[in-house]
Each structure stands twice: as C-alpha cells, then as structure tokens.
Amino acid sequence: VGPESAKRSSMRWSMRWKPCTDRLALALLFANAGAALLQPQRVAVVTGASRGIGKGIAVELGREGYAVVCVGRSSRTDAGPTTERPTAEADLTVEATAEAVTAAGGRGRALPCDLGQDGAVDAIMDEVAQSEGRLDVLVSSAYTTPPGRLRGPFWEQPMAMWDSCNGVGLRGAYATCRAAAPHMIRTAAAAGGGPP
C-alpha cells in the first residue's frame, strides 16, 4: 500500500462520512436555533440613550439581539427646553436611537423621561418590567451639562453647575439603580439565579 492508495482510501472514507457529518451539523444548527427561539429576548434599559456613550451602548446591545428601551429627555414628541449644546447630528432623540437599535438587529423602544423626576424613574422601570416581563440589564448613562461655560477651575463654577451635573448624573444613576434592582432580581430568580 503506497501513499496514493492511502490517500484514495482516506478520501473514500471521508466521502462516506460527509453526508453523515452534514446531517449532524444541520441537526445541531436546528437544535441551537430552536433553543434560541425558546429563550426570551433579553431586555436592557439605557438611560441617556439619545446621544454619546448611552446611544453607542444602546446600538451595540441591539446588535447583540437585545430589546433595548431607550430612555432620555430628548424626544420628537417634546420640544421643550434643553441644556444640550448643538451638534452636527440632526436627530438626537430617544426615538432615533430606538430606530438605530432596530436597524442593528435588536428591538428598540423609546421612552422619553426626565430622570430628574423621581416618580418618572419608578414609573419607567415598572412599565418596562410590566410590558417586557423582565429586566436583565441597566445602563445608567444619563448626564446633563449646565448651560454656559463648563470649562475652568472648579472654584469659579457656580453651585448650579454642581447641582445640574450631579442631579442627573450621580443622583439619576442611584435613582435608576434603586428602581430597576427589584425587577432585575426577579428576572434573575426566574432564570434560576437569585439575588447577590
């Protein structure tokens, strides 16, 4: 038996097994697809989703197949006053981000909300848990910049600057975590996990 004979024998062997391995690969593919269809879509809430880091995270979660609830003040339905600086991007709204999430492969949903309003934060989290049946991920990216000059030594900044930045950024992060935690704990418990 020479090298050519061994090569032909090996090829015949692989040809006989090829349909079997193809069927096995196909069966595994369908089994995995079926399991994926049985898994509920993971749900994320992203605050500050109309622009910047929040928008980027929301779109990437969408790319990973999440249902993403985009929360922020900037909405097409409310043209109220804003402290945001103008940018070159035309549509900096939660609706635009929700559309980008859907275009990336997820399911985007816009929920306008002023995180400076305590009752609104609780209402948003309750509504998401009620309508989606779960809450897996919270990204707290909301922040506001005060009107006027932000750069310069801190001792030259008015206290309104501190209140503006930390009232939404720091306090808003705490408020959203506090409101989301019970829903996230219930989601983890239902999936077989539990509270930390």
Side-chain angles (χ1 to χ4, degrees):
V1 178
E4 283 301 312
S5 175
K7 185 176 178 183
R8 279 192 303 275
S9 175
S10 172
M11 286 176 59
R12 279 194 301 268
W13 177 257
S14 69
M15 295 295 274
R16 274 185 277 167
W17 282 97
K18 179 107 173 85
C20 181
T21 57
D22 286 349
R23 283 192 296 265
L24 178 60
L26 200 56
L28 288 172
L29 176 68
F30 282 120
N32 288 338
L37 291 174
L38 296 176
Q39 296 293 322
Q41 186 176 32
R42 296 192 69 187
V43 177
V45 170
V46 180
T47 68
S50 62
R51 59 188 50 122
I53 294 169
K55 182 174 187 170
I57 292 171
V59 172
E60 288 305 312
L61 285 168
R63 197 174 319 283
E64 293 299 318
Y66 278 73
V68 182
V69 180
C70 305
V71 177
R73 287 181 307 161
S74 301
S75 171
R76 292 176 187 152
T77 61
D78 180 23
T82 180
T83 60
E84 303 303 332
R85 292 176 175 82
T87 66
E89 194 173 343
D91 193 358
L92 296 174
T93 62
V94 289
E95 292 86 358
T97 302
E99 291 162 2
V101 166
T102 301
R107 182 170 50 88
R109 180 173 166 212
L111 283 179
C113 176
D114 182 352
L115 295 176
Q117 307 297 316
D118 291 343
V121 173
D122 292 333
I124 287 284
M125 296 305 168
D126 291 344
E127 200 284 324
V128 168
Q130 176 68 31
S131 64
E132 299 290 342
R134 62 186 298 128
L135 178 54
D136 299 281
V137 175
L138 171 66
V139 177
S140 189
S141 184
Y143 181 81
T144 188
T145 55
R149 187 175 156 233
L150 183 62
R151 301 285 185 243
F154 77 89
W155 59 88
E156 292 177 1
Q157 303 299 318
M159 286 307 296
M161 183 275 299
W162 171 267
D163 294 339
S164 179
C165 293
N166 290 292
V168 171
L170 184 59
R171 189 173 190 282
Y174 178 80
T176 54
C177 288
R178 185 193 57 74
H183 303 298
M184 295 176 77
I185 290 168
R186 276 193 290 279
T187 297

